[in-house]
Amino acid sequence: MTLERMKLTIDGPVAILAFNHQEVLNALSPKLLQDFNTALDAIEDPANGVRCLVLTGEGRAFCAGANLQGDMGKREGGKIDAGAALETVYHPILRRLRNLPFPIITAVNGPAAGAGMSFAVMGDLIVAARSAYFMQAFRRIGLVPDCGSTWLLPRLIGRARSLELSLLGDRLPAEKALEWGLINRVVDDGEALNEALKLATELANGPTVALGLIRKLYIESTDNSFEEQLDLERQSQRTAGRAQDFAEGVQAFLEKRPAQFKGR
Amino acid sequence: MNFKYMKLTLDGPVAVLAYNRPEVLNAMSPESLAEFGEALDVIEDPASGVRCVVLTGEGRAFCAGANLRERASGDAPEAGAVLDTSYHPILRRLRDLRCPLITAVNGPAAGGGMAFALMGDLIVAVRSAYFMQAFRRIGLVPDCGSSWLLPRLVGRARSLELSLLGERLPAEKALEWGLINRVVDDGEALNEAMKLARELANGPTVALGLIRRLYAESTENSFEEQLDLERQFQRAAGRASDFAEGVQAFLEKRPARFTGH
């Protein structure tokens, strides 16, 4: 697998995937997204035994969003269709991330702007460096938030703060993002990946079937009624309860020892 | 009431329902949930005159969740079945109560116990209490409505953190996150809950019951659907005699004397 704009390292059950186009602050281009897809093929392949994904950026930024220098995409009656690339390139990747059967941690090592912010907040757990910031940059160039931002933001921080970020397009510093409940950890600069790997090791040794189902429960939750969600919990509990890890979990609890989960 | 695993006390218009199996930290079993259901029969009976319910635990825990010894031996192959038969009916009845529910979290609330703690319209916890989504520790997913309530209380990032890591959330942090409403000194949860309960039990019960339902529906409704629901409920609230009394008291500049009708 030759990747140019992404860098993939599989370290036991943890896959580390990094945006790798530092000279443009890891801005997203068609080539980069193609590499992202290729990397996901490897990450999803059961033969690789991945049980947790860490997404981060090489260099000083996490990801600056779409590369505005490049080809702006299809023209329609002489006008650019700024939405076309979403359908063809971005959305398929976002759907693959949503559907991963194990947790994603994002290690936000530096600024995350526009679509880069969207990818950052796709993490089930989000770790950021103290100097990192989040910016809904879209309105600065006359666009609307995309890549799922407008779905995720109100579910993370509520309506007032979502509107503020999107309408003003100001930087949200990592510390403030933590206080708002947008992210889970703030660490010293240079430490985001280390902290993310600690959490990833914990999760990669967890009951992967249950952890994957937990992700799905929270993806569905906010659109479900109480009744629908009870039903989904019940179905998920049946699936989780059939995995070997549940038997091990109960046994370990009764024997008062740490559980050894296998991810099956 | 003559129960083995639950304790019900009616104190005027306030019903205090307590998990009462301190030797297993109030862990729940099909038997204790059957008694929970019988206690709700009494609470819901209009003859009891209950206008606010307080749910708490006897001893040092609020509730440790499902009793794993029983759960493991009883129905190990189907970890979801007992939800249908024992837990969900109770959760639905709590959701549908026509008066407010306050939880007095006197100690640890774990797994299903955390879910019941969060069902409170107002949640009071002691300083040493903690909340734990224990499920992942034994390879299960959050249940008893946890995965519905949590993102609505603390948002997506914090819900996922609690559920994926399964760590303890201390009461003070829970307050800071907006998960709960009050933190008080150890031993004081029930007293504080009773203060709030008396305030609510002397309130306009029809309106308070409808307020619970508005917030149970709100997060899934479109703006249009919610406007419509507010409009229907305002009609129902406005027909209660407490509305007439409320307006009259306001005009006469005196405290209202609500009767719950």
Side-chain angles (χ1 to χ4, degrees):
Chain A
M1 179 175 35
T2 21
L3 300 176
E4 194 185 333
R5 300 291 188 218
M6 297 295 285
K7 185 171 147 193
L8 176 63
T9 315
I10 294 182
D11 179 7
V14 177
I16 304 162
L17 181 60
F19 296 113
N20 188 25
H21 197 180
Q22 297 178 48
E23 57 276 30
V24 293
L25 301 177
N26 297 325
L28 305 166
S29 59
K31 168 62 181 154
L32 181 146
L33 292 161
Q34 188 191 330
D35 285 356
F36 202 136
N37 262 314
T38 308
L40 283 175
D41 292 340
I43 288 163
E44 288 169 354
D45 183 349
N48 288 318
V50 174
R51 293 167 67 189
C52 186
L53 168 65
V54 175
L55 181 64
T56 189
E58 290 285 316
R60 63 190 179 86
F62 175 77
C63 172
N67 193 332
L68 296 178
Q69 312 282 326
D71 177 13
M72 295 299 286
K74 270 196 268 185
R75 286 176 182 268
E76 215 172 34
K79 289 193 174 172
I80 288 166
D81 176 0
L86 293 175
E87 256 170 57
T88 54
V89 186
Y90 289 88
H91 292 181
I93 291 183
L94 291 165
R95 289 191 192 102
R96 288 180 80 173
L97 291 176
R98 178 196 61 192
N99 293 338
L100 277 185
F102 45 75
I104 304 177
I105 300 177
T106 45
V108 186
N109 53 300
M117 175 171 175
S118 303
F119 279 102
V121 295
M122 281 295 284
D124 301 317
L125 297 177
I126 306 167
V127 177
R130 209 169 303 280
S131 72
Y133 61 82
F134 298 86
M135 188 166 70
Q136 286 274 288
F138 306 94
R139 67 83 79 205
R140 296 178 169 263
I141 55 165
L143 290 181
V144 301
D146 63 23
C147 289
S149 296
T150 66
W151 189 88
L152 281 167
L153 276 180
R155 286 163 170 79
L156 284 159
I157 53 174
R159 175 180 157 81
R161 288 167 171 171
S162 299
L163 274 162
E164 177 175 343
L165 290 177
S166 302
L167 290 174
L168 298 177
D170 288 339
R171 292 177 179 194
L172 177 71
E175 296 276 11
K176 195 68 158 178
L178 181 69
E179 191 187 305
W180 282 8
L182 182 77
I183 65 175
N184 304 92
R185 299 278 188 280
V186 173
V187 294
D188 287 341
D189 287 5
E191 288 301 313
L193 185 57
N194 284 340
E195 178 68 17
L197 285 173
K198 268 187 228 163
L199 293 167
T201 305
E202 165 75 14
L203 292 180
N205 290 300
T208 308
V209 174
L211 300 184
L213 290 167
I214 289 172
R215 304 188 72 223
K216 289 202 166 59
L217 281 170
Y218 285 114
I219 289 165
E220 304 292 332
S221 173
T222 47
D223 314 317
N224 272 348
S225 68
F226 185 63
E227 202 56 50
E228 288 164 336
Q229 192 69 10
L230 286 182
D231 195 50
L232 190 64
E233 287 179 354
R234 189 247 173 283
Q235 290 170 37
S236 307
Q237 210 61 295
R238 174 164 47 198
T239 308
R242 283 177 177 166
Q244 293 167 25
D245 281 342
F246 170 56
E248 162 62 11
V250 172
Q251 198 62 32
F253 175 83
L254 296 177
E255 293 170 11
K256 298 182 187 196
R257 60 168 173 82
Q260 273 118 33
F261 295 119
K262 304 274 185 248
R264 289 187 291 269
Chain B
M1 303 300 299
N2 196 15
F3 294 130
K4 197 169 162 200
Y5 300 133
M6 301 295 292
K7 184 173 150 192
L8 176 63
T9 315
L10 297 182
D11 178 0
V14 178
V16 182
L17 179 59
Y19 292 110
N20 188 23
R21 213 182 160 188
E23 66 279 13
V24 291
L25 302 176
N26 297 324
M28 292 183 280
S29 62
E31 294 73 26
S32 74
L33 290 159
E35 289 189 359
F36 202 132
E38 289 170 43
L40 287 175
D41 291 342
V42 176
I43 288 166
E44 288 167 354
D45 182 349
S48 303
V50 172
R51 293 167 67 190
C52 186
V53 179
V54 175
L55 178 65
T56 189
E58 290 286 319
R60 62 192 179 84
F62 176 76
C63 173
N67 192 324
L68 283 184
R69 287 179 196 279
E70 288 158 10
R71 190 167 183 164
S73 58
D75 55 309
E78 225 296 39
V82 69
L83 294 173
D84 275 346
T85 53
S86 293
Y87 289 87
H88 291 182
I90 300 289
L91 291 163
R92 289 191 190 102
R93 290 178 75 176
L94 292 178
R95 178 199 59 193
D96 294 339
L97 276 182
R98 291 169 168 274
C99 63
L101 171 66
I102 300 177
T103 46
V105 185
N106 54 299
M114 175 171 174
F116 277 81
L118 300 184
M119 285 295 286
D121 303 320
L122 298 175
I123 305 169
V124 177
V126 295
R127 215 168 299 282
S128 73
Y130 61 81
F131 299 86
M132 187 166 70
Q133 286 275 290
F135 307 95
R136 68 83 84 203
R137 294 178 170 264
I138 54 161
L140 290 181
V141 303
D143 62 22
C144 289
S146 298
S147 76
W148 189 87
L149 281 166
L150 272 178
R152 288 161 171 81
L153 286 159
V154 295
R156 176 179 158 82
R158 289 166 172 173
S159 301
L160 275 160
E161 177 173 341
L162 290 175
S163 302
L164 289 174
L165 297 178
E167 289 169 351
R168 291 177 180 193
L169 178 72
E172 296 276 11
K173 193 70 159 179
L175 181 69
E176 187 190 313
W177 281 9
L179 183 77
I180 64 175
N181 303 92
R182 300 277 190 282
V183 172
V184 294
D185 288 339
D186 287 8
E188 289 301 313
L190 186 57
N191 284 342
E192 179 68 18
M194 288 303 286
K195 269 186 227 163
L196 295 166
R198 289 195 186 98
E199 164 74 17
L200 291 178
N202 291 303
T205 309
V206 174
L208 302 184
L210 291 168
I211 289 171
R212 303 185 80 223
R213 288 177 57 195
L214 282 171
Y215 287 112
E217 305 288 333
S218 171
T219 47
E220 295 92 63
N221 271 350
S222 68
F223 186 62
E224 201 57 49
E225 287 165 337
Q226 193 70 8
L227 287 182
D228 194 51
L229 198 64
E230 289 176 357
R231 191 252 169 278
Q232 287 173 43
F233 285 3
Q234 211 60 296
R235 175 166 47 194
R239 283 177 177 169
S241 52
D242 279 342
F243 171 57
E245 162 62 11
V247 172
Q248 196 63 33
F250 174 83
L251 295 176
E252 293 171 10
K253 300 185 182 179
R254 59 167 174 83
R257 288 181 295 265
F258 296 117
T259 57
H261 302 293

